[in-house]
Amino acid sequence: MSAKCPMWYRKLYSKMKICRFRKDGEIGQGIVEGGEILVCDENLDKTLEVFRINETELLPPASPSKIVCVGRNYADHAKELGNDVPVEPLLFLKAPSALIGHNDAIVIPSQSGQVEHEGELAVVIGQTCKNISDDEEVLKYILGYTCLNDVTARDVQRNDVQFTRGKSFDTFCPIGPFIETELDVSDIRVTTRVNGEVKQNGRTSQMVFPVEFLIRYISKMMTLNKGDIIATGTPSGVSRLRSGDVCEIEIEGLGILSNPVE
Ligand code: MG
């Protein structure tokens, strides 16, 4: 792969897979092509170096100021937990300190006896936005999409009024492996497997509130910054994770996010 092809060209004319990685103790970001990472400057405008992916450790592909989650955004999932579908999006925040990357371990905390997976489509914000007025405008503020596991201590969540504790233990937000910059996310498959067995199998077209509506709705309340993550809700089929399991979230067009459980 030539390191000379300018990034602005790629940005304008082709879809990209963006990643963050660590190599020899240094953190960088780049564009994934085949088995290689084209290491880029902050604006993805310049190729600085080229590495093999398997020589690096993949990190969460975004570093958000906040993770905004949408609860009960698939009717079947709301029903399986005994809840009604909300009339307006049900929002909560997950702590950014919970983020881990592809292949990092989800750690079961001693405070919970019921930790569950929630496979979700995540939207990554590309530039600061506030009060977005119409759905068409939303797309220009989206950097891209990736897979997210909204890991939840269900017993803790049930016991608390707030979702904060049950959703924010360290390692409870696996995300990645890459950000895909161009994808029609209106009707793609979201699958979760535990040890190879399919647990969740939904389509984004089943969302109660679609992506454009959610971003616009959230932007009316809070400023969204570059790198912020919106987790768009999970289909039915959530189940318990145990030490020794491997949990995979696969989203059509976005690859597979895989994490062992400890
Ligand atoms: Mg969720």
PDB file of all heavy atoms in Angstrom, residues 70-74 85-90 204 206-214 232:
ATOM      1  N   VAL A  70     -29.691   5.055  24.416  1.00  0.00           N
ATOM      2  CA  VAL A  70     -31.142   5.084  24.260  1.00  0.00           C
ATOM      3  C   VAL A  70     -31.681   3.759  24.774  1.00  0.00           C
ATOM      4  O   VAL A  70     -31.276   2.688  24.313  1.00  0.00           O
ATOM      5  CB  VAL A  70     -31.521   5.288  22.778  1.00  0.00           C
ATOM      6  CG1 VAL A  70     -33.037   5.421  22.630  1.00  0.00           C
ATOM      7  CG2 VAL A  70     -30.809   6.506  22.209  1.00  0.00           C
ATOM      8  N   GLY A  71     -32.571   3.825  25.747  1.00  0.00           N
ATOM      9  CA  GLY A  71     -33.154   2.619  26.328  1.00  0.00           C
ATOM     10  C   GLY A  71     -34.459   2.258  25.644  1.00  0.00           C
ATOM     11  O   GLY A  71     -35.174   3.127  25.147  1.00  0.00           O
ATOM     12  N   ARG A  72     -34.745   0.966  25.587  1.00  0.00           N
ATOM     13  CA  ARG A  72     -36.033   0.464  25.084  1.00  0.00           C
ATOM     14  C   ARG A  72     -36.387   1.003  23.700  1.00  0.00           C
ATOM     15  O   ARG A  72     -37.506   1.437  23.451  1.00  0.00           O
ATOM     16  CB  ARG A  72     -37.153   0.814  26.087  1.00  0.00           C
ATOM     17  CG  ARG A  72     -36.888   0.199  27.442  1.00  0.00           C
ATOM     18  CD  ARG A  72     -37.818   0.739  28.524  1.00  0.00           C
ATOM     19  NE  ARG A  72     -37.228   0.470  29.842  1.00  0.00           N
ATOM     20  CZ  ARG A  72     -37.582   1.058  30.974  1.00  0.00           C
ATOM     21  NH1 ARG A  72     -38.557   1.943  30.986  1.00  0.00           N
ATOM     22  NH2 ARG A  72     -36.996   0.761  32.093  1.00  0.00           N
ATOM     23  N   ASN A  73     -35.392   0.981  22.798  1.00  0.00           N
ATOM     24  CA  ASN A  73     -35.646   1.510  21.455  1.00  0.00           C
ATOM     25  C   ASN A  73     -36.046   0.421  20.462  1.00  0.00           C
ATOM     26  O   ASN A  73     -36.188   0.686  19.272  1.00  0.00           O
ATOM     27  CB  ASN A  73     -34.422   2.287  20.960  1.00  0.00           C
ATOM     28  CG  ASN A  73     -34.761   3.223  19.807  1.00  0.00           C
ATOM     29  OD1 ASN A  73     -35.888   3.719  19.719  1.00  0.00           O
ATOM     30  ND2 ASN A  73     -33.800   3.450  18.928  1.00  0.00           N
ATOM     31  N   TYR A  74     -36.163  -0.823  20.940  1.00  0.00           N
ATOM     32  CA  TYR A  74     -36.717  -1.913  20.130  1.00  0.00           C
ATOM     33  C   TYR A  74     -37.881  -2.477  20.963  1.00  0.00           C
ATOM     34  O   TYR A  74     -37.693  -2.837  22.141  1.00  0.00           O
ATOM     35  CB  TYR A  74     -35.691  -3.025  19.904  1.00  0.00           C
ATOM     36  CG  TYR A  74     -34.555  -2.688  18.963  1.00  0.00           C
ATOM     37  CD1 TYR A  74     -33.513  -1.848  19.361  1.00  0.00           C
ATOM     38  CD2 TYR A  74     -34.509  -3.229  17.669  1.00  0.00           C
ATOM     39  CE1 TYR A  74     -32.451  -1.563  18.507  1.00  0.00           C
ATOM     40  CE2 TYR A  74     -33.442  -2.953  16.810  1.00  0.00           C
ATOM     41  CZ  TYR A  74     -32.431  -2.111  17.237  1.00  0.00           C
ATOM     42  OH  TYR A  74     -31.369  -1.826  16.394  1.00  0.00           O
ATOM     43  N   VAL A  85     -42.988   0.567  25.558  1.00  0.00           N
ATOM     44  CA  VAL A  85     -42.163   1.383  24.670  1.00  0.00           C
ATOM     45  C   VAL A  85     -42.376   2.844  25.066  1.00  0.00           C
ATOM     46  O   VAL A  85     -43.513   3.284  25.219  1.00  0.00           O
ATOM     47  CB  VAL A  85     -42.591   1.147  23.199  1.00  0.00           C
ATOM     48  CG1 VAL A  85     -41.952   2.160  22.285  1.00  0.00           C
ATOM     49  CG2 VAL A  85     -42.235  -0.267  22.780  1.00  0.00           C
ATOM     50  N   PRO A  86     -41.277   3.588  25.300  1.00  0.00           N
ATOM     51  CA  PRO A  86     -41.455   4.981  25.738  1.00  0.00           C
ATOM     52  C   PRO A  86     -42.061   5.862  24.637  1.00  0.00           C
ATOM     53  O   PRO A  86     -41.864   5.588  23.453  1.00  0.00           O
ATOM     54  CB  PRO A  86     -40.028   5.432  26.068  1.00  0.00           C
ATOM     55  CG  PRO A  86     -39.107   4.436  25.458  1.00  0.00           C
ATOM     56  CD  PRO A  86     -39.872   3.185  25.185  1.00  0.00           C
ATOM     57  N   VAL A  87     -42.805   6.885  25.033  1.00  0.00           N
ATOM     58  CA  VAL A  87     -43.396   7.782  24.028  1.00  0.00           C
ATOM     59  C   VAL A  87     -42.362   8.755  23.477  1.00  0.00           C
ATOM     60  O   VAL A  87     -42.496   9.259  22.359  1.00  0.00           O
ATOM     61  CB  VAL A  87     -44.615   8.565  24.582  1.00  0.00           C
ATOM     62  CG1 VAL A  87     -45.803   7.655  24.759  1.00  0.00           C
ATOM     63  CG2 VAL A  87     -44.276   9.260  25.896  1.00  0.00           C
ATOM     64  N   GLU A  88     -41.336   9.042  24.275  1.00  0.00           N
ATOM     65  CA  GLU A  88     -40.195   9.830  23.803  1.00  0.00           C
ATOM     66  C   GLU A  88     -38.951   8.986  24.051  1.00  0.00           C
ATOM     67  O   GLU A  88     -38.978   8.101  24.922  1.00  0.00           O
ATOM     68  CB  GLU A  88     -40.043  11.114  24.629  1.00  0.00           C
ATOM     69  CG  GLU A  88     -40.914  12.253  24.179  1.00  0.00           C
ATOM     70  CD  GLU A  88     -40.540  13.534  24.913  1.00  0.00           C
ATOM     71  OE1 GLU A  88     -41.006  13.709  26.053  1.00  0.00           O
ATOM     72  OE2 GLU A  88     -39.770  14.328  24.358  1.00  0.00           O
ATOM     73  N   PRO A  89     -37.831   9.215  23.340  1.00  0.00           N
ATOM     74  CA  PRO A  89     -36.626   8.422  23.610  1.00  0.00           C
ATOM     75  C   PRO A  89     -36.247   8.471  25.093  1.00  0.00           C
ATOM     76  O   PRO A  89     -36.272   9.536  25.711  1.00  0.00           O
ATOM     77  CB  PRO A  89     -35.557   9.108  22.746  1.00  0.00           C
ATOM     78  CG  PRO A  89     -36.313   9.721  21.627  1.00  0.00           C
ATOM     79  CD  PRO A  89     -37.624  10.163  22.227  1.00  0.00           C
ATOM     80  N   LEU A  90     -35.913   7.300  25.639  1.00  0.00           N
ATOM     81  CA  LEU A  90     -35.470   7.191  27.036  1.00  0.00           C
ATOM     82  C   LEU A  90     -33.942   7.269  27.026  1.00  0.00           C
ATOM     83  O   LEU A  90     -33.278   6.358  26.533  1.00  0.00           O
ATOM     84  CB  LEU A  90     -35.934   5.858  27.616  1.00  0.00           C
ATOM     85  CG  LEU A  90     -35.367   5.473  28.976  1.00  0.00           C
ATOM     86  CD1 LEU A  90     -35.881   6.416  30.054  1.00  0.00           C
ATOM     87  CD2 LEU A  90     -35.721   4.042  29.328  1.00  0.00           C
ATOM     88  N   THR A 204     -32.041  -2.886  12.344  1.00  0.00           N
ATOM     89  CA  THR A 204     -32.174  -1.494  12.797  1.00  0.00           C
ATOM     90  C   THR A 204     -33.501  -0.877  12.359  1.00  0.00           C
ATOM     91  O   THR A 204     -33.952   0.104  12.943  1.00  0.00           O
ATOM     92  CB  THR A 204     -31.010  -0.632  12.260  1.00  0.00           C
ATOM     93  OG1 THR A 204     -30.938  -0.805  10.840  1.00  0.00           O
ATOM     94  CG2 THR A 204     -29.686  -1.040  12.885  1.00  0.00           C
ATOM     95  N   GLN A 206     -36.193  -2.008  13.009  1.00  0.00           N
ATOM     96  CA  GLN A 206     -37.148  -2.245  14.110  1.00  0.00           C
ATOM     97  C   GLN A 206     -37.040  -1.184  15.213  1.00  0.00           C
ATOM     98  O   GLN A 206     -37.796  -1.232  16.187  1.00  0.00           O
ATOM     99  CB  GLN A 206     -36.883  -3.627  14.734  1.00  0.00           C
ATOM    100  CG  GLN A 206     -37.102  -4.782  13.760  1.00  0.00           C
ATOM    101  CD  GLN A 206     -36.490  -6.091  14.262  1.00  0.00           C
ATOM    102  OE1 GLN A 206     -35.485  -6.094  14.967  1.00  0.00           O
ATOM    103  NE2 GLN A 206     -37.097  -7.200  13.889  1.00  0.00           N
ATOM    104  N   MET A 207     -36.104  -0.236  15.064  1.00  0.00           N
ATOM    105  CA  MET A 207     -35.976   0.800  16.099  1.00  0.00           C
ATOM    106  C   MET A 207     -37.269   1.611  16.202  1.00  0.00           C
ATOM    107  O   MET A 207     -37.880   1.942  15.180  1.00  0.00           O
ATOM    108  CB  MET A 207     -34.842   1.783  15.739  1.00  0.00           C
ATOM    109  CG  MET A 207     -33.459   1.248  15.964  1.00  0.00           C
ATOM    110  SD  MET A 207     -32.276   2.582  15.580  1.00  0.00           S
ATOM    111  CE  MET A 207     -30.761   1.649  15.608  1.00  0.00           C
ATOM    112  N   VAL A 208     -37.642   1.939  17.424  1.00  0.00           N
ATOM    113  CA  VAL A 208     -38.820   2.787  17.634  1.00  0.00           C
ATOM    114  C   VAL A 208     -38.512   4.200  17.124  1.00  0.00           C
ATOM    115  O   VAL A 208     -39.306   4.800  16.400  1.00  0.00           O
ATOM    116  CB  VAL A 208     -39.197   2.831  19.133  1.00  0.00           C
ATOM    117  CG1 VAL A 208     -40.404   3.743  19.346  1.00  0.00           C
ATOM    118  CG2 VAL A 208     -39.462   1.418  19.661  1.00  0.00           C
ATOM    119  N   PHE A 209     -37.342   4.725  17.491  1.00  0.00           N
ATOM    120  CA  PHE A 209     -36.906   6.045  17.025  1.00  0.00           C
ATOM    121  C   PHE A 209     -35.637   5.852  16.192  1.00  0.00           C
ATOM    122  O   PHE A 209     -34.621   5.376  16.704  1.00  0.00           O
ATOM    123  CB  PHE A 209     -36.601   6.960  18.218  1.00  0.00           C
ATOM    124  CG  PHE A 209     -37.776   7.134  19.143  1.00  0.00           C
ATOM    125  CD1 PHE A 209     -37.818   6.462  20.364  1.00  0.00           C
ATOM    126  CD2 PHE A 209     -38.848   7.950  18.786  1.00  0.00           C
ATOM    127  CE1 PHE A 209     -38.905   6.610  21.214  1.00  0.00           C
ATOM    128  CE2 PHE A 209     -39.940   8.094  19.641  1.00  0.00           C
ATOM    129  CZ  PHE A 209     -39.968   7.421  20.856  1.00  0.00           C
ATOM    130  N   PRO A 210     -35.680   6.202  14.896  1.00  0.00           N
ATOM    131  CA  PRO A 210     -34.511   5.970  14.039  1.00  0.00           C
ATOM    132  C   PRO A 210     -33.355   6.924  14.339  1.00  0.00           C
ATOM    133  O   PRO A 210     -33.517   7.918  15.058  1.00  0.00           O
ATOM    134  CB  PRO A 210     -35.061   6.194  12.629  1.00  0.00           C
ATOM    135  CG  PRO A 210     -36.292   6.998  12.786  1.00  0.00           C
ATOM    136  CD  PRO A 210     -36.833   6.754  14.168  1.00  0.00           C
ATOM    137  N   VAL A 211     -32.179   6.596  13.774  1.00  0.00           N
ATOM    138  CA  VAL A 211     -30.932   7.311  14.079  1.00  0.00           C
ATOM    139  C   VAL A 211     -31.058   8.825  13.909  1.00  0.00           C
ATOM    140  O   VAL A 211     -30.699   9.593  14.808  1.00  0.00           O
ATOM    141  CB  VAL A 211     -29.787   6.759  13.190  1.00  0.00           C
ATOM    142  CG1 VAL A 211     -28.577   7.667  13.227  1.00  0.00           C
ATOM    143  CG2 VAL A 211     -29.413   5.355  13.655  1.00  0.00           C
ATOM    144  N   GLU A 212     -31.573   9.280  12.769  1.00  0.00           N
ATOM    145  CA  GLU A 212     -31.622  10.728  12.506  1.00  0.00           C
ATOM    146  C   GLU A 212     -32.458  11.428  13.570  1.00  0.00           C
ATOM    147  O   GLU A 212     -32.100  12.491  14.073  1.00  0.00           O
ATOM    148  CB  GLU A 212     -32.201  11.035  11.118  1.00  0.00           C
ATOM    149  CG  GLU A 212     -31.291  10.683   9.964  1.00  0.00           C
ATOM    150  CD  GLU A 212     -31.360   9.206   9.576  1.00  0.00           C
ATOM    151  OE1 GLU A 212     -32.136   8.451  10.215  1.00  0.00           O
ATOM    152  OE2 GLU A 212     -30.638   8.803   8.642  1.00  0.00           O
ATOM    153  N   PHE A 213     -33.590  10.804  13.901  1.00  0.00           N
ATOM    154  CA  PHE A 213     -34.470  11.402  14.913  1.00  0.00           C
ATOM    155  C   PHE A 213     -33.748  11.500  16.256  1.00  0.00           C
ATOM    156  O   PHE A 213     -33.817  12.523  16.945  1.00  0.00           O
ATOM    157  CB  PHE A 213     -35.756  10.580  15.057  1.00  0.00           C
ATOM    158  CG  PHE A 213     -36.706  11.137  16.077  1.00  0.00           C
ATOM    159  CD1 PHE A 213     -37.660  12.076  15.705  1.00  0.00           C
ATOM    160  CD2 PHE A 213     -36.626  10.752  17.412  1.00  0.00           C
ATOM    161  CE1 PHE A 213     -38.524  12.622  16.660  1.00  0.00           C
ATOM    162  CE2 PHE A 213     -37.480  11.291  18.370  1.00  0.00           C
ATOM    163  CZ  PHE A 213     -38.434  12.219  17.996  1.00  0.00           C
ATOM    164  N   LEU A 214     -33.038  10.432  16.614  1.00  0.00           N
ATOM    165  CA  LEU A 214     -32.354  10.395  17.918  1.00  0.00           C
ATOM    166  C   LEU A 214     -31.305  11.497  18.037  1.00  0.00           C
ATOM    167  O   LEU A 214     -31.228  12.199  19.045  1.00  0.00           O
ATOM    168  CB  LEU A 214     -31.687   9.029  18.134  1.00  0.00           C
ATOM    169  CG  LEU A 214     -32.619   7.846  18.372  1.00  0.00           C
ATOM    170  CD1 LEU A 214     -31.820   6.545  18.369  1.00  0.00           C
ATOM    171  CD2 LEU A 214     -33.375   8.013  19.681  1.00  0.00           C
ATOM    172  N   THR A 232     -27.715   3.206  20.216  1.00  0.00           N
ATOM    173  CA  THR A 232     -29.091   3.386  19.726  1.00  0.00           C
ATOM    174  C   THR A 232     -30.097   2.352  20.236  1.00  0.00           C
ATOM    175  O   THR A 232     -31.205   2.286  19.729  1.00  0.00           O
ATOM    176  CB  THR A 232     -29.090   3.397  18.186  1.00  0.00           C
ATOM    177  OG1 THR A 232     -28.491   2.169  17.733  1.00  0.00           O
ATOM    178  CG2 THR A 232     -28.293   4.562  17.639  1.00  0.00           C
TER     179      THR A 232
END
